[in-house]
């Protein structure tokens, strides 16, 4: 009876989820216990299984419970196109928003020598091996537009150049439907200097 | 390999939590797998234990993993005061916001004959037994100010009257710091008719 009540421990444990503060953790705990115990039990089971079985694809490093992910084993994906992203979330966003049908390399980070994150931590040895195989014709750099994202993109572009693989960078500019005066100056400047003939 | 990937099942399972849509479920799944597997495993364990062990207090019906909750076994709480609330969340809000040191009865709902929720479903037989014991001197009705909440409050007030127990209702009015023109008309009307001498 002296230990922390289970309900308090549940509220605390829910805070491992991003965006969940003390108030919403309490609301979540009470609501699942009062209204959806079946769903809560399923969540507990799937969460445990996910942590225990989901690792990284041996080829592209995205999250998967298999040695190779769905995309890497899919023989219908274009093996001449390789897109480099920072996170599995970025990869999902591209899968959901674009018609890209090539393959991926997921960095799981950005180059950051001061934090001890070098080429090896981003699996760039593995990426270089794929480039060396000679099948890839275009390497698309879809890393973020932060300073670290740009540094990472340039490092990889240099590597691809060494293997004579064409490298492209996703376009930066005004978001679709965006009004010029709501866009930050850096984006506007990029969009202006990246202008094309119509 | 043909079955739904574990990651997709995790995103789906997270949606049992209130306020979690497809987008935030995906963000949660990716983030815990990439950054906090230890926290996710702890959440899975505590969630399972909570669902399996947390039931309702035999006395006041709030959520607890013991036969009686912390408040009901606390001999320092005032046994002359009993506060009636609709949910464990309401009870927690009162515990956190007020200096109330009495006991509770948690209805776990509101009277709603059309939905088959009668006095028995709200544990009112148990509440009546407590009133009959003669120890309670004031019954505080802290049910919601919805129509169902008012109906429930009146039903319980009648019951308390039968046992000659003084019954009070928490005040309705303008929220602290609230400006009159931001308050809904019903609240303003209640506040006006409930005015007191200064
Ligand atoms: Zn893969
Ligand atoms: Zn209790």
């Amino acid at each position: 009876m002296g230990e922390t009540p289970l309900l308090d421990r549940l509220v605390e444990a829910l805070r491992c989820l991003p965006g969940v503060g003390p108030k919403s953790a309490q609301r979540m705990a009470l609501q699942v216990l009062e209204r959806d115990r079946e769903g809560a039990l399923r969540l507990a089971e799937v969460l445990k299984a996910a942590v225990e079985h989901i690792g990284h694809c041996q080829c592209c490093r995205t999250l998967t419970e298999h040695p190779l992910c769905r995309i890497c084993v899919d023989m219908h994906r274009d093996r001449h196109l390789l897109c480099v992203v920072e996170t599995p979330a970025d990869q999902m966003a591209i899968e959901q928003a674009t018609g890209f049908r090539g393959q991926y390399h997921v960095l799981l980070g950005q180059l950051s020598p001061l934090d001890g994150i070098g080429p090896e931590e981003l699996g760039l040895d593995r990426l270089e091996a794929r480039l060396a195989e000679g099948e890839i014709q275009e390497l698309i750099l879809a890393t973020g537009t932060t300073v670290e994202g740009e540094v990472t993109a340039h490092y990889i572009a240099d590597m691809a150049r060494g293997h004579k693989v064409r490298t492209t960078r996703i376009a930066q500019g005004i978001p679709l439907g965006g009004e010029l005066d709501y866009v930050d100056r850096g984006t506007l400047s990029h969009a202006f200097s990246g202008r094309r003939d119509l």
Side-chain angles (χ1 to χ4, degrees), chain A residues 2 14 32 45 143 178 182:
Chain A
L14 280 163
V32 295
E45 281 158 11
T143 54
Y182 282 97

Side-chain angles (χ1 to χ4, degrees), chain A residues 11 14 19 30 32 46 54-55 57 71 78 107 143 155 180 184 186:
Chain A
V11 172
L14 280 163
L30 294 173
V32 295
V46 175
I54 293 180
C57 174
I71 292 173
D78 189 340
L107 298 166
T143 54
Y155 184 96
L180 256 63
D184 69 281

Side-chain angles (χ1 to χ4, degrees), chain A residues 65-93:
Chain A
E65 77 254 42
H66 301 294
L68 293 171
C69 75
R70 268 180 296 179
I71 292 173
C72 286
V73 297
D74 185 347
M75 297 312 292
H76 296 103
R77 306 281 304 207
D78 189 340
R79 286 169 189 265
H80 302 310
L81 297 177
L82 187 77
C83 179
V84 177
V85 292
E86 287 174 7
T87 66
D90 293 342
Q91 180 194 21
M92 278 194 194

